[in-house]
Amino acid sequence: MDNDSFWKIIEECRSKAHGRAERLAWLKDELARRPVKEIVGFQVCLDRLCEQAFTWDLWAAAERIFGGWCSDDGFCYFRLWAVGLGQATFERAVQDPDTLAEAPEVRRLAGQPRGGWGDHWPEWEELDYVAAEAYEQATQVSDEFATFYEAVDALQSDDEVVRDPLGKRWDVRDEVEASRRLPQLSSRFPITMQP
């Protein structure tokens, strides 16, 4: 599976299913109908895209939205969520994280207490498991996904592992710096306003 095929599935999912649970069910069923190699390829593409988004600037955007702090795991799930926003939004966000402020999914959160975000919380951890579940459904191999992850590792064997975020870390709580680097997000998500 190449990036174009991956994004076609994500965009089709966005148009045919709504809400996380429905989107996950759609993705799992769609992937499970495909050849095993495509299911594994979906995970490889997802992992590569998440690595492209592994930047300090995007992490700062997540921290701004979350009220000034975002854990390692939280940023991983945030990047998965960003993939779920679709190709155009994701690619813009990787190049310029402040463009996330224009996404309807982010605009709906602005000014709302985080405790009320519910199913709109900007994270999608489960997306990272949907291909493994589809693989198990398609192959009827139930070994805690070991066979699936071996196949993923084999396809990623030549990929360079990114251990640290790209770019330079900066303090999103520095209002002057945040206003310069993330003007829209800083305006919509002032740290003092977050509960």
Side-chain angles (χ1 to χ4, degrees), residues 10 24 27 42 46 80 83-84 124-131:
I10 293 293
L24 285 168
L27 276 170
F42 180 91
L46 179 62
L80 290 161
V83 169
W124 200 12
E125 176 184 2
E126 299 83 3
L127 180 60
D128 205 24
Y129 313 124
V130 73

Side-chain angles (χ1 to χ4, degrees), residues 96 98 170 174-184 186:
D96 179 5
D98 199 43
W170 57 279
D174 178 336
E175 291 297 336
V176 172
E177 190 70 6
S179 293
R180 184 178 72 77
R181 292 178 179 248
L182 301 171
Q184 293 183 84
S186 295

Side-chain angles (χ1 to χ4, degrees), residues 7-95:
W7 283 119
K8 185 176 179 185
I9 292 170
I10 293 293
E11 299 298 346
E12 190 174 353
C13 177
R14 286 178 54 78
S15 70
K16 292 187 174 182
H18 305 285
R20 285 190 190 142
E22 188 178 320
R23 288 178 69 196
L24 285 168
W26 187 93
L27 276 170
K28 180 180 171 184
D29 289 345
E30 177 64 24
L31 290 171
R33 285 193 292 269
R34 293 173 177 260
V36 169
K37 188 172 182 175
E38 285 187 36
I39 300 171
V40 173
F42 180 91
Q43 185 68 46
V44 170
C45 286
L46 179 62
D47 291 348
R48 287 178 181 157
L49 289 167
C50 285
E51 282 197 7
Q52 288 175 15
F54 194 39
T55 70
W56 283 118
D57 286 339
L58 190 60
W59 200 332
E63 287 182 326
R64 194 69 197 198
I65 293 168
F66 291 153
W69 185 78
C70 178
S71 70
D72 294 358
D73 287 345
F75 185 49
C76 176
Y77 308 150
F78 180 85
R79 288 180 287 147
L80 290 161
W81 171 81
V83 169
L85 296 177
Q87 183 175 11
T89 301
F90 175 82
E91 289 177 351
R92 277 193 311 270
V94 170
Q95 292 301 310

Side-chain angles (χ1 to χ4, degrees), residues 51 54 160-165:
E51 282 197 7
F54 194 39
E160 184 177 325
V161 176
V162 178
R163 301 209 184 278
D164 295 309

Side-chain angles (χ1 to χ4, degrees), residues 156-176:
Q156 291 176 332
S157 64
D158 293 335
D159 290 359
E160 184 177 325
V161 176
V162 178
R163 301 209 184 278
D164 295 309
L166 299 174
K168 186 175 180 183
R169 188 174 195 172
W170 57 279
D171 186 359
V172 75
R173 292 172 300 268
D174 178 336
E175 291 297 336
V176 172

